[in-house]
């Protein structure tokens, strides 16, 4: 049998064709990778005369960005403000200074406390409960502790967070932090001594470190199971805290 695809072709006899369809998953992946490479090579062959021009364009783009940054013309995180020149009538909930600025500068929250607390802590959002599912590497309590410190500096209501030294190395699966006139914070580390069933969590943290290649299907499945166990194991605790917050806000209103 002859199969044609684009500008390349391959020939399979009846026996080879039968073997091809009966291969195991690993073999199938190898075949797919092989034919994908052939397709890519075919594409590059067609544009062989443009390779130099393409690389020149890429290098020119990179140099342009570097030049703009060095000259202070462009700052990393600069974005066009789509609310520029909007009026208070069309955007009544937006701060006036935002409406007059043509550009805005954004920063990855991971560079601050590695968790987006401050996105939900604006007073107008009236947040009563934060469920913090912590997937960060390293100290599993760092995000909630640092968020509390930053909120103290910025005079933002958040309950006091006090954790024991043991919680940093051998965390449990469920923590609750409460305060007066503050939202309740539930903090649930991904790797903990309950769902992992071990005291030493360092091996799991090293296995799923931030800077590494793509996770395998088996690794993804394991992570999903561990994250799911955190919820199912604490279902009653979560429902109880949600009910308490609901009763508190109803009483206040």
């Amino acid at each position: 049998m002859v199969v044609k695809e684009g500008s390349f072709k391959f020939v399979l006899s009846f026996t080879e064709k039968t073997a091809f369809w009966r291969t195991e998953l690993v073999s199938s992946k190898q075949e797919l990778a092989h034919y994908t490479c052939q397709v890519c090579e075919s594409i590059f062959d067609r544009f062989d005369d443009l390779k130099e021009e393409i690389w020149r364009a890429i290098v020119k783009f990179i140099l342009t960005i570097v030049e703009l940054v060095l000259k202070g013309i462009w700052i990393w995180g600069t974005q066009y403000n789509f609310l520029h020149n909007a009026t208070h009538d069309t955007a009544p909930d937006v701060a006036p200074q935002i409406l007059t600025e043509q550009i805005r500068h954004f920063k990855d929250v991971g560079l601050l406390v590695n968790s987006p607390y401050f996105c939900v802590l604006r007073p107008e959002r009236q947040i009563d409960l934060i469920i913090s599912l912590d997937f960060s590497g390293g100290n599993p309590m760092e995000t909630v502790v640092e968020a509390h410190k930053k909120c103290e500096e910025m005079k933002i209501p958040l309950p006091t967070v006090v954790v024991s030294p043991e919680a940093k190395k051998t965390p449990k699966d469920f923590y609750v932090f409460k305060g007066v006139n503050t939202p309740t914070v539930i903090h649930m580390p991904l790797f903990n001594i309950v769902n992992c069933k071990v005291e030493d969590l360092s091996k799991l943290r090293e296995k799923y470190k931030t800077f590494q290649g793509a996770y395998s299907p088996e690794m993804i499945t394991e992570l999903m199971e561990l994250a799911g166990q955190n919820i199912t194991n604490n279902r009653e605790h979560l429902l109880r805290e949600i009910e308490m917050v609901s009763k508190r806000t109803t009483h206040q209103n």
Side-chain angles (χ1 to χ4, degrees):
M1 183 182 80
V2 179
V3 181
K4 295 183 178 180
E5 184 67 29
S7 62
F8 68 90
K9 66 180 180 179
F10 56 92
V11 181
L12 294 176
S13 66
F14 177 78
T15 304
E16 290 172 329
K17 181 180 69 172
T18 304
F20 175 77
W21 293 113
R22 291 182 178 178
T23 50
E24 298 295 334
L25 179 61
V26 175
S27 179
S28 297
K29 287 182 177 180
Q30 292 174 345
E31 293 286 348
L32 180 60
H34 172 69
Y35 297 132
T36 301
C37 288
Q38 285 189 311
V39 171
C40 292
E41 289 174 1
S42 174
I43 293 174
F44 282 122
D45 287 343
R46 290 187 178 185
F47 297 99
D48 187 62
D49 56 334
L50 295 178
K51 279 184 181 179
E52 188 174 343
E53 292 297 326
I54 293 173
W55 280 114
R56 283 180 181 175
I58 294 174
V59 172
K60 183 178 179 181
F61 173 76
I62 295 173
L63 292 176
T64 301
I65 294 297
V66 171
E67 182 182 6
L68 292 175
V69 171
L70 293 177
K71 289 183 177 180
I73 299 174
W74 183 76
I75 301 174
W76 187 267
T78 301
Q79 297 289 332
Y80 172 73
N81 180 17
F82 64 91
L83 289 171
H84 181 230
N85 285 338
T87 64
H88 180 71
D89 294 332
T90 57
D93 298 326
V94 180
Q97 65 269 24
I98 296 179
L99 303 180
T100 59
E101 295 176 351
Q102 188 172 358
I103 59 175
R104 301 288 293 168
H105 298 95
F106 297 94
K107 181 178 180 180
D108 187 343
V109 74
L111 300 177
L112 191 62
V113 296
N114 205 29
S115 192
Y117 280 93
F118 304 102
C119 299
V120 300
L121 286 175
R122 297 198 306 273
E124 59 269 24
R125 300 198 68 169
Q126 300 180 346
I127 297 298
D128 300 305
L129 175 65
I130 297 174
I131 300 178
S132 168
L133 304 176
D134 188 81
F135 301 143
S136 58
N139 179 2
M141 309 302 293
E142 182 178 10
T143 55
V144 66
V145 171
E146 291 301 317
H148 167 249
K149 291 180 179 179
K150 199 66 180 179
C151 283
E152 276 193 324
E153 295 176 11
M154 301 173 67
K155 309 299 181 184
I156 298 175
L158 198 72
T160 300
V161 176
V162 179
V163 298
S164 64
E166 292 78 16
K168 299 177 181 180
K169 295 184 178 180
T170 56
K172 299 177 181 179
D173 59 346
F174 194 84
Y175 295 87
V176 181
F177 304 100
K178 299 180 180 181
V180 179
N181 297 323
T182 70
T184 295
V185 177
I186 296 174
H187 189 70
M188 304 174 69
L190 172 60
F191 300 131
N192 56 75
I193 59 176
V194 179
N195 65 349
C196 296
K197 299 180 176 62
V198 293
E199 293 288 331
D200 185 5
L201 302 173
S202 59
K203 291 183 179 179
L204 272 173
R205 291 172 182 163
E206 180 64 24
K207 180 179 179 181
Y208 293 101
K209 58 187 177 182
T210 302
F211 299 102
Q212 67 178 54
Y215 291 170
S216 67
E218 293 76 18
M219 293 173 69
I220 295 173
T221 299
E222 183 180 34
L223 278 181
M224 293 294 291
E225 289 177 351
L226 291 173
Q229 287 174 24
N230 275 347
I231 302 300
T232 54
N233 292 343
N234 292 288
R235 180 177 182 275
E236 297 303 322
H237 298 313
L238 285 165
L239 291 175
R240 182 185 68 241
E241 294 299 330
I242 292 172
E243 183 180 6
M244 292 175 64
V245 170
S246 178
K247 288 182 178 179
R248 184 186 69 198
T249 54
T250 302
H251 178 73
Q252 291 175 346
N253 295 334

